[in-house]
Amino acid sequence: MTNTFLNTINYSIDKFCNSLGFNKTYFHQFLNCSEKQAPKFLNPNDDFKQLKVIDLISILDNLDTKHRKIILDNLCKKYDFVCLDSATTENNNISLEHILLSITSTNGELSSNFLQALEDGNISLDENKLLNEIAYKFRSLLRIFEFKINGVSND
């Protein structure tokens, strides 16, 4: 596992625990470690330990959807997939018009940021990161749109 992925897991656990007023050692009860070992076990900079798949599943099982999605988004981005919440794709309260407006808005944001990045003839690392984030959001919205139109009946 790369340090970036371990940092993402650590970030998600920290933010989740902070939102509940807990210390991240709270997660020791879901992992194969003691409360005293938890800080070292969850340390993304510890090169001597490898997170086991079963540990990752335990972490994901015990996070809320928002913080679970941070980790899954990281994995999906790495392998060029888009992670969608099942609740988002099944939500019938979102109209097709709303989805299309969001797609149009994001596409405009992507275009304007791309043109701005090209002004100096060089796309910096920060500009590249921003463009990738917007493009990912754009792909996500397109997938939501596809799910939505596939669920619309022609009756």
Side-chain angles (χ1 to χ4, degrees):
M1 285 197 197
T2 64
N3 266 356
T4 303
F5 186 60
L6 292 173
N7 282 328
T8 301
I9 293 170
N10 188 52
Y11 173 83
S12 293
I13 290 171
D14 273 343
K15 292 299 179 186
F16 173 73
C17 287
N18 287 343
S19 73
L20 297 176
F22 297 143
N23 184 307
K24 77 178 185 179
T25 58
Y26 165 80
F27 262 77
H28 87 279
Q29 61 189 320
F30 310 116
L31 305 171
N32 190 20
C33 68
S34 69
E35 188 171 358
K36 188 177 179 180
Q37 294 169 321
K40 182 173 173 39
F41 190 85
L42 296 171
N43 181 356
N45 299 318
D46 185 351
D47 294 331
F48 298 109
K49 129 185 118 44
Q50 293 290 318
L51 188 67
K52 296 176 187 170
V53 172
I54 193 78
D55 296 329
L56 176 59
I57 291 169
S58 272
I59 289 169
L60 290 171
D61 284 347
N62 290 286
L63 289 172
D64 61 355
T65 302
K66 174 184 171 184
H67 296 94
R68 185 180 303 131
K69 190 169 185 322
I70 293 170
I71 294 170
L72 294 174
D73 274 340
N74 183 279
L75 272 176
C76 288
K77 278 179 155 178
K78 180 176 178 156
Y79 298 105
D80 202 26
F81 286 89
V82 176
C83 179
L84 297 177
D85 304 4
S86 60
T88 302
T89 60
E90 295 171 7
N91 189 343
N92 290 328
N93 296 329
I94 299 175
S95 69
L96 284 171
E97 293 84 1
H98 178 73
I99 296 169
L100 282 173
L101 287 173
S102 297
I103 291 171
T104 303
S105 170
T106 304
N107 188 32
E109 182 184 11
L110 180 60
S111 298
S112 65
N113 278 288
F114 179 69
L115 292 173
Q116 185 178 4
L118 287 179
E119 281 182 0
D120 63 358
N122 183 25
I123 298 177
S124 71
L125 290 176
D126 288 339
E127 290 168 332
N128 184 303
K129 183 178 176 184
L130 176 64
L131 290 170
N132 275 311
E133 287 172 5
I134 297 169
Y136 183 80
K137 180 180 175 186
F138 184 67
R139 287 193 319 269
S140 177
L141 286 167
L142 286 173
R143 293 295 297 152
I144 292 169
F145 180 74
E146 289 171 355
F147 282 124
K148 184 73 172 182
I149 61 172
N150 287 335
V152 174
S153 67
N154 293 329
D155 297 330

